Amino acid sequence: MAPGGMLLFNTDDGYLEAIIRGYRAGILSSADYANLCQCETLEDFRMQLTATDYGNFLQNEPSPLATTTIQEHARKKLVDEFRAISTQATEPLATFLDYLTYPYMIDNLILLITGTFKEKDISELIDKCHPLGLFDSMASLCIATTPEELYREIVVDTPLAPYFAECVSLDDLTALNIEIIRNTLYKAYLEDFYQYCQKLGGATAELMGLLLQFEADRRAINITMHSFGTSLRKNERESLYCNFGELHPEGIMRLARADDRSSVASIIEPYGTYRRLWSAAMDNPDKNLEDAFFEYEVYLAKQAFDQQFHYAIFYAYLRLKEQEIRNIGWIAECISQKNKSKLNKYIVVF
């Protein structure tokens, strides 16, 4: 970045970058995980976490502790940190941070759509939504009692309205193919976010390009793998793949025609990163492909912190903290179930 660009970045966003780097310093280390794994009970676990950046975040929770309670409080800490950043952001960082909340909104809306089909009270479902995926007009969705009403509210009065209007029709919604709807929205979101990052240029475009290309490729592979043995037709599967990524276009076209796991392995063979991830998962009985993907995502997110004056660290921090919360939940559940043989199946972040 040119000196003038650095100065402009520091003027507008340098303070928030410094804050996020401070938050990153509080991410659990390998030594912290080793200490957590020594705990015999969740009360020990609670006490051990007080020696980390989490501090006394569980001090008001009565015993016995539940794993879900620990994860909920860890997630609340992340949400509070993210909101502290986003409320101070100016453009274009403010819009970039809005994009980071859209995946949570998509998952929340899918939860509400599913609940509407099952005739559940939407106001109760909102309590189960991820806090980062809440938005001001979500309360208006509570008045919807039919798929038609819910669709109208979504396309008129939610941040995801452009994606719904472009990609999801009322007929799609009433067909109740929820996973297709979810993946269609994610595709539209990722393509839009990728283009936005490329327009920002500089290190943000470079680093977010790598992160989002990986996300697009991971989703393409997962969609393909999960489609085997289902009613999803190949042309429908192809429509869910993003139009960018390392696998695009040749690998994507071949994935669209894949019939089984062995054909997927053959298709990704020329792509060194995915060949290594596939081999790592297939050669280790204690690891699956999703674990390998999570490990690589952590690797990419950590790399984002090696450069300065860019927005990718905000995305990377969210990804690293989400992995940390999964780790905390996994270790806590193993302790709760007294199943220490699987205790070490977490992904070290730092």
Side-chain angles (χ1 to χ4, degrees):
M1 181 180 289
M6 293 180 185
L7 180 61
L8 184 62
F9 185 94
N10 279 332
T11 299
D12 295 337
D13 308 308
Y15 173 65
L16 296 183
E17 181 191 16
I19 290 179
I20 209 74
R21 289 185 182 277
Y23 288 160
R24 170 251 178 265
I27 290 177
L28 297 180
S29 66
S30 56
D32 292 326
Y33 284 121
N35 291 333
L36 290 174
C37 288
Q38 296 301 314
C39 296
E40 296 294 331
T41 67
L42 290 187
E43 286 304 313
D44 296 339
F45 195 83
R46 185 204 315 243
M47 290 299 297
Q48 190 60 53
L49 280 173
T50 62
T52 72
D53 194 57
Y54 283 97
N56 294 316
F57 79 128
L58 293 170
Q59 64 180 350
N60 295 324
E61 287 300 319
S63 299
L65 272 178
T67 299
T68 53
T69 301
I70 297 172
Q71 286 186 293
E72 286 170 4
H73 280 267
R75 187 172 293 112
K76 181 181 183 301
K77 183 176 184 299
L78 170 59
V79 171
D80 290 343
E81 291 172 350
F82 183 84
R83 287 176 175 167
I85 291 286
S86 59
T87 54
Q88 301 177 72
T90 58
E91 294 297 345
L93 177 58
T95 295
F96 181 90
L97 295 178
D98 285 342
Y99 270 108
L100 302 190
T101 66
Y102 288 176
Y104 303 103
M105 290 185 191
I106 291 172
D107 288 341
N108 286 349
L109 283 176
I110 292 298
L111 175 65
L112 299 183
I113 291 170
T114 304
T116 299
F117 275 103
K118 295 181 179 179
E119 299 183 346
K120 292 186 177 181
D121 187 337
I122 290 186
S123 60
E124 293 181 4
L125 291 174
I126 288 178
D127 292 335
K128 299 180 181 179
C129 288
H130 195 291
L132 285 182
L134 300 178
F135 45 86
D136 293 339
S137 58
M138 184 168 275
S140 66
L141 301 181
C142 295
I143 66 174
T145 58
T146 67
E148 291 81 0
E149 291 176 354
L150 183 61
Y151 183 83
R152 185 173 62 249
E153 291 295 330
I154 291 173
V155 299
V156 169
D157 201 23
T158 72
L160 299 178
Y163 302 146
F164 259 87
E166 177 185 350
C167 305
V168 181
S169 69
L170 179 58
D171 289 340
D172 293 329
L173 194 63
T174 55
L176 194 57
N177 201 333
I178 295 300
E179 284 310 306
I180 289 182
I181 295 173
R182 185 200 304 273
N183 286 308
T184 299
L185 292 173
Y186 264 101
K187 165 187 163 68
Y189 155 70
L190 286 171
E191 291 175 352
D192 185 26
F193 190 22
Y194 181 78
Q195 290 300 319
Y196 178 75
C197 292
Q198 294 308 298
K199 289 178 182 178
L200 290 176
T204 296
E206 175 191 349
L207 295 170
M208 285 304 302
L210 292 173
L211 287 159
L212 293 177
Q213 285 172 29
F214 166 69
E215 181 62 24
D217 290 342
R218 168 167 60 179
R219 295 190 68 83
I221 294 171
N222 281 338
I223 288 168
T224 304
M225 298 282 285
H226 294 156
S227 70
F228 299 143
T230 72
S231 60
L232 187 67
R233 296 188 296 271
K234 290 182 178 180
N235 65 316
E236 292 175 323
R237 185 170 75 197
E238 185 174 13
S239 70
L240 302 177
Y241 300 148
C242 291
N243 63 8
F244 67 95
E246 185 180 351
L247 296 177
H248 185 271
E250 182 179 350
I252 289 297
M253 290 189 295
R254 295 183 64 198
L255 280 177
R257 300 191 295 270
D259 293 312
D260 50 37
R261 290 172 61 91
S262 62
S263 58
V264 173
S266 175
I267 290 165
I268 65 175
E269 176 69 23
Y271 303 91
T273 295
Y274 301 114
R275 181 179 66 248
R276 289 190 296 272
L277 294 178
W278 183 277
S279 297
M282 298 305 112
D283 295 343
N284 187 341
D286 293 326
K287 180 186 294 186
N288 58 36
L289 188 58
E290 194 63 23
D291 294 330
F293 282 150
F294 280 137
E295 286 182 352
Y296 189 67
E297 181 178 57
V298 165
Y299 166 76
L300 289 177
K302 288 164 61 175
Q303 281 194 320
F305 283 88
D306 292 341
Q307 294 190 45
Q308 293 181 298
F309 313 117
H310 63 85
Y311 294 162
I313 59 170
F314 298 94
Y315 177 94
Y317 181 70
L318 267 184
R319 300 282 72 77
L320 294 177
K321 288 296 287 187
E322 290 285 8
Q323 183 58 55
E324 181 175 272
I325 293 169
R326 285 191 292 269
N327 289 344
I328 288 173
W330 177 265
I331 296 171
E333 188 62 21
C334 286
I335 292 171
S336 176
Q337 299 292 332
K338 301 189 183 302
N339 186 3
K340 292 208 167 185
S341 63
K342 296 184 177 180
L343 198 59
N344 293 319
K345 287 184 60 179
Y346 60 86
I347 298 172
V348 175
V349 178
F350 287 107

